[in-house]
PDB file of all heavy atoms in Angstrom:
ATOM      1  N   ASP A  32     112.363  24.321 149.789  1.00 81.00           N
ATOM      2  CA  ASP A  32     113.138  23.666 150.852  1.00 81.00           C
ATOM      3  C   ASP A  32     114.402  23.111 150.206  1.00 81.00           C
ATOM      4  O   ASP A  32     114.344  22.382 149.208  1.00 81.00           O
ATOM      5  CB  ASP A  32     112.327  22.531 151.508  1.00 81.00           C
ATOM      6  CG  ASP A  32     112.972  22.059 152.802  1.00 81.00           C
ATOM      7  OD1 ASP A  32     114.228  22.109 152.900  1.00 81.00           O
ATOM      8  OD2 ASP A  32     112.222  21.677 153.709  1.00 81.00           O
ATOM      9  N   ALA A  33     115.533  23.468 150.756  1.00 77.00           N
ATOM     10  CA  ALA A  33     116.807  23.033 150.161  1.00 77.00           C
ATOM     11  C   ALA A  33     117.054  21.528 150.353  1.00 77.00           C
ATOM     12  O   ALA A  33     117.876  20.934 149.650  1.00 77.00           O
ATOM     13  CB  ALA A  33     117.953  23.843 150.774  1.00 77.00           C
ATOM     14  N   ASP A  34     116.364  20.916 151.346  1.00 79.00           N
ATOM     15  CA  ASP A  34     116.536  19.482 151.540  1.00 79.00           C
ATOM     16  C   ASP A  34     115.823  18.703 150.433  1.00 79.00           C
ATOM     17  O   ASP A  34     114.998  19.260 149.702  1.00 79.00           O
ATOM     18  CB  ASP A  34     115.994  19.064 152.915  1.00 79.00           C
ATOM     19  CG  ASP A  34     116.790  19.727 154.048  1.00 79.00           C
ATOM     20  OD1 ASP A  34     118.015  19.908 153.869  1.00 79.00           O
ATOM     21  OD2 ASP A  34     116.185  20.099 155.077  1.00 79.00           O
ATOM     22  N   VAL A  35     116.139  17.445 150.389  1.00 79.00           N
ATOM     23  CA  VAL A  35     115.522  16.581 149.376  1.00 79.00           C
ATOM     24  C   VAL A  35     114.991  15.317 150.064  1.00 79.00           C
ATOM     25  O   VAL A  35     115.291  15.060 151.242  1.00 79.00           O
ATOM     26  CB  VAL A  35     116.530  16.181 148.285  1.00 79.00           C
ATOM     27  CG1 VAL A  35     116.972  17.395 147.509  1.00 79.00           C
ATOM     28  CG2 VAL A  35     117.736  15.472 148.889  1.00 79.00           C
ATOM     29  N   GLY A  36     114.238  14.620 149.284  1.00 76.00           N
ATOM     30  CA  GLY A  36     113.719  13.349 149.814  1.00 76.00           C
ATOM     31  C   GLY A  36     112.675  13.590 150.875  1.00 76.00           C
ATOM     32  O   GLY A  36     111.804  14.456 150.740  1.00 76.00           O
ATOM     33  N   ALA A  37     112.767  12.804 151.950  1.00 78.00           N
ATOM     34  CA  ALA A  37     111.784  12.918 153.028  1.00 78.00           C
ATOM     35  C   ALA A  37     111.890  14.231 153.758  1.00 78.00           C
ATOM     36  O   ALA A  37     110.941  14.678 154.419  1.00 78.00           O
ATOM     37  CB  ALA A  37     111.973  11.745 154.004  1.00 78.00           C
ATOM     38  N   ASN A  38     113.027  14.909 153.651  1.00 78.00           N
ATOM     39  CA  ASN A  38     113.211  16.188 154.364  1.00 78.00           C
ATOM     40  C   ASN A  38     112.671  17.372 153.581  1.00 78.00           C
ATOM     41  O   ASN A  38     112.691  18.508 154.065  1.00 78.00           O
ATOM     42  CB  ASN A  38     114.692  16.412 154.635  1.00 78.00           C
ATOM     43  CG  ASN A  38     115.247  15.385 155.618  1.00 78.00           C
ATOM     44  OD1 ASN A  38     114.521  14.913 156.498  1.00 78.00           O
ATOM     45  ND2 ASN A  38     116.515  15.027 155.455  1.00 78.00           N
ATOM     46  N   SER A  39     112.178  17.107 152.377  1.00 83.00           N
ATOM     47  CA  SER A  39     111.644  18.225 151.594  1.00 83.00           C
ATOM     48  C   SER A  39     110.210  18.512 152.032  1.00 83.00           C
ATOM     49  O   SER A  39     109.688  17.894 152.958  1.00 83.00           O
ATOM     50  CB  SER A  39     111.688  17.884 150.107  1.00 83.00           C
ATOM     51  OG  SER A  39     110.860  16.761 149.854  1.00 83.00           O
ATOM     52  N   ILE A  40     109.540  19.424 151.357  1.00 83.00           N
ATOM     53  CA  ILE A  40     108.197  19.880 151.726  1.00 83.00           C
ATOM     54  C   ILE A  40     107.239  18.693 151.645  1.00 83.00           C
ATOM     55  O   ILE A  40     107.163  17.989 150.634  1.00 83.00           O
ATOM     56  CB  ILE A  40     107.736  21.010 150.811  1.00 83.00           C
ATOM     57  CG1 ILE A  40     108.657  22.238 151.000  1.00 83.00           C
ATOM     58  CG2 ILE A  40     106.298  21.409 151.117  1.00 83.00           C
ATOM     59  CD1 ILE A  40     108.389  23.348 150.041  1.00 83.00           C
ATOM     60  N   LYS A  41     106.487  18.594 152.745  1.00 82.00           N
ATOM     61  CA  LYS A  41     105.565  17.472 152.832  1.00 82.00           C
ATOM     62  C   LYS A  41     104.125  17.918 152.625  1.00 82.00           C
ATOM     63  O   LYS A  41     103.366  17.261 151.902  1.00 82.00           O
ATOM     64  CB  LYS A  41     105.728  16.780 154.188  1.00 82.00           C
ATOM     65  CG  LYS A  41     104.788  15.603 154.401  1.00 82.00           C
ATOM     66  CD  LYS A  41     105.012  14.965 155.781  1.00 82.00           C
ATOM     67  CE  LYS A  41     104.059  13.790 156.007  1.00 82.00           C
ATOM     68  NZ  LYS A  41     104.249  13.175 157.356  1.00 82.00           N
ATOM     69  N   THR A  42     103.690  19.056 153.245  1.00 87.00           N
ATOM     70  CA  THR A  42     102.298  19.489 153.141  1.00 87.00           C
ATOM     71  C   THR A  42     102.202  20.982 153.472  1.00 87.00           C
ATOM     72  O   THR A  42     103.174  21.622 153.904  1.00 87.00           O
ATOM     73  CB  THR A  42     101.392  18.692 154.094  1.00 87.00           C
ATOM     74  OG1 THR A  42     100.042  19.069 153.830  1.00 87.00           O
ATOM     75  CG2 THR A  42     101.734  18.970 155.560  1.00 87.00           C
ATOM     76  N   TYR A  43     100.961  21.562 153.259  1.00 86.00           N
ATOM     77  CA  TYR A  43     100.664  22.978 153.553  1.00 86.00           C
ATOM     78  C   TYR A  43      99.449  23.032 154.451  1.00 86.00           C
ATOM     79  O   TYR A  43      98.543  22.178 154.362  1.00 86.00           O
ATOM     80  CB  TYR A  43     100.362  23.771 152.268  1.00 86.00           C
ATOM     81  CG  TYR A  43     101.557  23.979 151.371  1.00 86.00           C
ATOM     82  CD1 TYR A  43     101.876  23.063 150.369  1.00 86.00           C
ATOM     83  CD2 TYR A  43     102.352  25.114 151.518  1.00 86.00           C
ATOM     84  CE1 TYR A  43     102.965  23.275 149.549  1.00 86.00           C
ATOM     85  CE2 TYR A  43     103.436  25.306 150.693  1.00 86.00           C
ATOM     86  CZ  TYR A  43     103.738  24.410 149.707  1.00 86.00           C
ATOM     87  OH  TYR A  43     104.815  24.615 148.880  1.00 86.00           O
ATOM     88  N   TYR A  44      99.367  24.045 155.317  1.00 88.00           N
ATOM     89  CA  TYR A  44      98.205  24.282 156.179  1.00 88.00           C
ATOM     90  C   TYR A  44      97.754  25.734 156.008  1.00 88.00           C
ATOM     91  O   TYR A  44      98.576  26.647 155.879  1.00 88.00           O
ATOM     92  CB  TYR A  44      98.546  24.027 157.651  1.00 88.00           C
ATOM     93  CG  TYR A  44      98.975  22.605 157.936  1.00 88.00           C
ATOM     94  CD1 TYR A  44     100.328  22.277 158.040  1.00 88.00           C
ATOM     95  CD2 TYR A  44      98.008  21.588 158.091  1.00 88.00           C
ATOM     96  CE1 TYR A  44     100.732  20.992 158.294  1.00 88.00           C
ATOM     97  CE2 TYR A  44      98.425  20.289 158.346  1.00 88.00           C
ATOM     98  CZ  TYR A  44      99.772  19.985 158.451  1.00 88.00           C
ATOM     99  OH  TYR A  44     100.176  18.704 158.685  1.00 88.00           O
ATOM    100  N   LEU A  45      96.426  25.990 156.015  1.00 88.00           N
ATOM    101  CA  LEU A  45      95.847  27.337 155.908  1.00 88.00           C
ATOM    102  C   LEU A  45      95.125  27.662 157.194  1.00 88.00           C
ATOM    103  O   LEU A  45      94.434  26.801 157.763  1.00 88.00           O
ATOM    104  CB  LEU A  45      94.858  27.411 154.723  1.00 88.00           C
ATOM    105  CG  LEU A  45      94.229  28.785 154.468  1.00 88.00           C
ATOM    106  CD1 LEU A  45      95.299  29.797 154.044  1.00 88.00           C
ATOM    107  CD2 LEU A  45      93.138  28.680 153.389  1.00 88.00           C
ATOM    108  N   SER A  46      95.291  28.879 157.652  1.00 87.00           N
ATOM    109  CA  SER A  46      94.593  29.301 158.870  1.00 87.00           C
ATOM    110  C   SER A  46      93.094  29.219 158.645  1.00 87.00           C
ATOM    111  O   SER A  46      92.603  29.203 157.513  1.00 87.00           O
ATOM    112  CB  SER A  46      94.998  30.734 159.244  1.00 87.00           C
ATOM    113  OG  SER A  46      94.669  31.627 158.185  1.00 87.00           O
ATOM    114  N   GLU A  47      92.336  29.211 159.717  1.00 87.00           N
ATOM    115  CA  GLU A  47      90.886  28.999 159.655  1.00 87.00           C
ATOM    116  C   GLU A  47      90.219  30.135 158.895  1.00 87.00           C
ATOM    117  O   GLU A  47      90.460  31.305 159.152  1.00 87.00           O
ATOM    118  CB  GLU A  47      90.333  28.910 161.063  1.00 87.00           C
ATOM    119  CG  GLU A  47      88.831  28.619 161.090  1.00 87.00           C
ATOM    120  CD  GLU A  47      88.294  28.493 162.502  1.00 87.00           C
ATOM    121  OE1 GLU A  47      89.105  28.562 163.445  1.00 87.00           O
ATOM    122  OE2 GLU A  47      87.078  28.355 162.647  1.00 87.00           O
ATOM    123  N   SER A  48      89.371  29.795 157.960  1.00 85.00           N
ATOM    124  CA  SER A  48      88.644  30.779 157.161  1.00 85.00           C
ATOM    125  C   SER A  48      87.358  30.144 156.649  1.00 85.00           C
ATOM    126  O   SER A  48      87.365  28.985 156.220  1.00 85.00           O
ATOM    127  CB  SER A  48      89.495  31.260 155.991  1.00 85.00           C
ATOM    128  OG  SER A  48      88.753  32.099 155.136  1.00 85.00           O
ATOM    129  N   LYS A  49      86.259  30.929 156.687  1.00 86.00           N
ATOM    130  CA  LYS A  49      84.991  30.445 156.164  1.00 86.00           C
ATOM    131  C   LYS A  49      84.921  30.561 154.651  1.00 86.00           C
ATOM    132  O   LYS A  49      84.151  29.851 154.014  1.00 86.00           O
ATOM    133  CB  LYS A  49      83.837  31.233 156.773  1.00 86.00           C
ATOM    134  CG  LYS A  49      83.700  31.074 158.279  1.00 86.00           C
ATOM    135  CD  LYS A  49      82.521  31.894 158.787  1.00 86.00           C
ATOM    136  CE  LYS A  49      82.349  31.760 160.301  1.00 86.00           C
ATOM    137  NZ  LYS A  49      81.213  32.560 160.803  1.00 86.00           N
ATOM    138  N   SER A  50      85.713  31.456 154.097  1.00 83.00           N
ATOM    139  CA  SER A  50      85.566  31.734 152.665  1.00 83.00           C
ATOM    140  C   SER A  50      86.627  31.048 151.812  1.00 83.00           C
ATOM    141  O   SER A  50      86.446  30.927 150.597  1.00 83.00           O
ATOM    142  CB  SER A  50      85.634  33.252 152.423  1.00 83.00           C
ATOM    143  OG  SER A  50      84.627  33.915 153.139  1.00 83.00           O
ATOM    144  N   PHE A  51      87.737  30.584 152.398  1.00 87.00           N
ATOM    145  CA  PHE A  51      88.825  30.046 151.584  1.00 87.00           C
ATOM    146  C   PHE A  51      89.314  28.714 152.162  1.00 87.00           C
ATOM    147  O   PHE A  51      89.306  28.506 153.391  1.00 87.00           O
ATOM    148  CB  PHE A  51      90.004  31.047 151.526  1.00 87.00           C
ATOM    149  CG  PHE A  51      89.672  32.339 150.858  1.00 87.00           C
ATOM    150  CD1 PHE A  51      89.279  33.443 151.601  1.00 87.00           C
ATOM    151  CD2 PHE A  51      89.726  32.439 149.475  1.00 87.00           C
ATOM    152  CE1 PHE A  51      88.974  34.623 150.990  1.00 87.00           C
ATOM    153  CE2 PHE A  51      89.423  33.623 148.863  1.00 87.00           C
ATOM    154  CZ  PHE A  51      89.036  34.727 149.604  1.00 87.00           C
ATOM    155  N   ILE A  52      89.766  27.851 151.213  1.00 87.00           N
ATOM    156  CA  ILE A  52      90.456  26.606 151.561  1.00 87.00           C
ATOM    157  C   ILE A  52      91.627  26.473 150.606  1.00 87.00           C
ATOM    158  O   ILE A  52      91.746  27.264 149.653  1.00 87.00           O
ATOM    159  CB  ILE A  52      89.525  25.378 151.429  1.00 87.00           C
ATOM    160  CG1 ILE A  52      89.008  25.247 149.982  1.00 87.00           C
ATOM    161  CG2 ILE A  52      88.382  25.437 152.456  1.00 87.00           C
ATOM    162  CD1 ILE A  52      88.193  23.975 149.751  1.00 87.00           C
ATOM    163  N   ILE A  53      92.520  25.462 150.882  1.00 87.00           N
ATOM    164  CA  ILE A  53      93.649  25.260 149.968  1.00 87.00           C
ATOM    165  C   ILE A  53      93.541  23.856 149.351  1.00 87.00           C
ATOM    166  O   ILE A  53      92.959  22.937 149.942  1.00 87.00           O
ATOM    167  CB  ILE A  53      94.985  25.410 150.684  1.00 87.00           C
ATOM    168  CG1 ILE A  53      95.124  24.420 151.856  1.00 87.00           C
ATOM    169  CG2 ILE A  53      95.207  26.848 151.147  1.00 87.00           C
ATOM    170  CD1 ILE A  53      96.486  24.434 152.515  1.00 87.00           C
ATOM    171  N   ASP A  54      94.115  23.729 148.170  1.00 85.00           N
ATOM    172  CA  ASP A  54      94.141  22.452 147.458  1.00 85.00           C
ATOM    173  C   ASP A  54      95.606  22.137 147.160  1.00 85.00           C
ATOM    174  O   ASP A  54      96.276  22.899 146.453  1.00 85.00           O
ATOM    175  CB  ASP A  54      93.320  22.540 146.171  1.00 85.00           C
ATOM    176  CG  ASP A  54      93.312  21.208 145.419  1.00 85.00           C
ATOM    177  OD1 ASP A  54      93.588  20.171 146.046  1.00 85.00           O
ATOM    178  OD2 ASP A  54      93.039  21.260 144.199  1.00 85.00           O
TER     179      ASP A  54
END
Side-chain angles (χ1 to χ4, degrees):
D32 193 328
D34 296 325
V35 295
N38 294 329
S39 62
I40 296 174
K41 179 180 179 181
T42 186
Y43 290 90
Y44 299 99
L45 183 65
S46 60
E47 183 178 356
S48 174
K49 297 180 180 179
S50 301
F51 296 95
I52 60 174
I53 58 174
D54 181 20

